[in-house]
Amino acid sequence: MPPRIHLCLRCLRASKPAIASSRTTTTPDIRHASVQAITPAPSPEAMVTSVPPILRHPPSQPPSHRRPEDRRSQLHRQYTSLLRSTPMMLLFQHNNLKATEWMSLRRELFAALQKVDATRAAVEPDAPLLADAARIQVIKSGVFGAALRVVEYYHPDESQSLVHPADPSTQSSLAHANATPDPSDPIFKHGLSRQAYEATIDKKLEHALTPLLSGPLAVLTFPGVSTEHLKAALSILSPKGPAFPAPKRKANPGYWEPSVQAGVQKLMLLGARVEGKVFDLDGTRWVGGIGGGMGGLRAQLVAMLQGVGGGITNTLEGAGRSLYFTMEGRKQMLEEEEGGEGKSE
């Protein structure tokens, strides 16, 4: 037989008044709640207009081809924004740099760029300062390549602004069969959408920067195009020859610290992307070697155009000038012949 459970009679007697009091106190609340639950009849406006459908995704996170909460998706968004907002970018290959080496390189790079900003501010007070916004960071080559293809080859037509039927701003009386968002819906045109994926999946080997996107990579980004900043960055991260000399030991002893030198030896310049154009190693150094920055480049362009215009003018004037001299010579010959005939008569 199972053991008997001994009950305390005093406990039972003490709990009965508490139960009775709880029953008496909850009855008025229930009645009061039932009175408050009565809702008024809807207004005529509410009966005419339809209730807006429910948007089943946040506006900042539309349906994507990949999972939006994945780290690769977040990096894809970051790299896409970086490529669209960065007109000048240097691409490096790094070989297992330590944290102290990265810190030392960033310190020397920031100091060199600040000197360029100070020099430009003294000459042009309205010139933009790029040192504070310049950034060097390690990237994932595969995700960066996918973001590059989206930026270069995916250009949706933004003129046709389509509104999803489940948007709360839509007031429609049409019945929607399913308001659940579908990633294949043509309304979604962001960088992680199904349309962006299908438009760029066949263009993996078409971009000129694709062969360089292999191995451990790092990028140095600038918010503007400045050949002076590019030259200063190359002199710190990839010094070579008389065009991009490294800082001297007396002028900058911090550059010759072992951590900085070890980091420079582990970095290799691969190329650059300037204003959407891809440059190899020689082209990058050519852009950095333009004297006078963008002003010098404009002066060279103006001089070249003036030289071309002068040459065209001389060519066009030469034909007319030779014709003029020919006619004048023929005229003198005829006058001399007429004068000789008159004397003979």
Side-chain angles (χ1 to χ4, degrees), residues 19-286:
I19 296 174
S21 62
S22 63
R23 291 178 180 176
T24 56
T25 54
T26 54
T27 303
D29 296 338
I30 295 174
R31 292 178 181 177
H32 185 65
S34 63
V35 173
Q36 290 183 349
I38 299 175
T39 57
S43 62
E45 291 80 5
M47 297 177 65
V48 174
T49 59
S50 63
V51 178
I54 299 176
L55 188 66
R56 300 182 182 273
H57 63 85
S60 60
Q61 189 174 333
S64 306
H65 175 69
R66 304 181 186 275
R67 296 179 58 186
E69 64 273 7
D70 192 6
R71 174 172 170 77
R72 294 175 64 88
S73 300
Q74 300 297 330
L75 289 176
H76 189 281
R77 290 180 178 178
Q78 178 184 351
Y79 295 158
T80 303
S81 176
L82 186 68
L83 288 168
R84 288 174 176 169
S85 61
T86 303
M88 187 170 65
M89 176 185 301
L90 296 179
L91 187 65
F92 294 90
Q93 185 176 7
H94 66 91
N95 185 15
N96 298 328
L97 270 78
K98 299 179 181 179
T100 56
E101 296 170 353
W102 279 117
M103 182 179 62
S104 302
L105 286 176
R106 289 188 176 98
R107 180 195 65 202
E108 297 300 326
L109 178 63
F110 182 70
L113 296 179
Q114 275 192 329
K115 291 181 180 179
V116 177
D117 281 347
T119 305
R120 294 185 64 184
V123 178
E124 301 178 6
D126 298 335
L129 305 180
L130 307 181
D132 295 336
R135 183 183 178 188
I136 183 171
Q137 59 179 336
V138 179
I139 61 172
K140 298 287 186 180
S141 57
V143 184
F144 190 83
L148 179 64
R149 292 194 298 271
V150 170
V151 172
E152 293 291 341
Y153 302 114
Y154 180 62
H155 304 286
D157 188 9
E158 299 294 344
S159 60
Q160 300 178 358
S161 59
L162 301 178
V163 180
H164 197 274
D167 196 337
S169 61
T170 305
Q171 290 288 344
S172 175
S173 59
L174 298 176
H176 305 293
N178 186 11
T180 304
D182 186 8
S184 60
D185 198 330
I187 295 178
F188 305 113
K189 300 178 181 180
H190 54 92
L192 288 174
S193 62
R194 182 72 58 82
Q195 291 191 3
Y197 173 77
E198 293 177 354
T200 59
I201 188 62
D202 297 332
K203 301 182 181 296
K204 289 187 176 182
L205 301 178
E206 293 186 6
H207 199 269
L209 201 62
T210 303
L212 303 179
L213 299 179
S214 61
L217 300 178
V219 291
L220 173 61
T221 56
F222 294 92
V225 178
S226 173
T227 57
E228 297 97 334
H229 290 82
L230 180 59
K231 182 177 182 179
L234 292 178
S235 300
I236 297 296
L237 301 178
S238 181
K240 182 180 179 181
F244 304 95
K248 296 183 178 180
R249 191 182 296 270
K250 292 183 179 180
N252 188 5
Y255 180 78
W256 297 95
E257 293 181 358
S259 58
V260 179
Q261 293 300 312
V264 171
Q265 293 177 2
K266 295 178 181 179
L267 280 180
M268 182 175 65
L269 179 64
L270 299 179
R273 181 177 180 267
V274 182
E275 294 290 348
K277 304 295 182 180
V278 179
F279 295 88
D280 57 357
L281 185 59
D282 297 333
T284 303
R285 298 189 183 278
W286 172 79

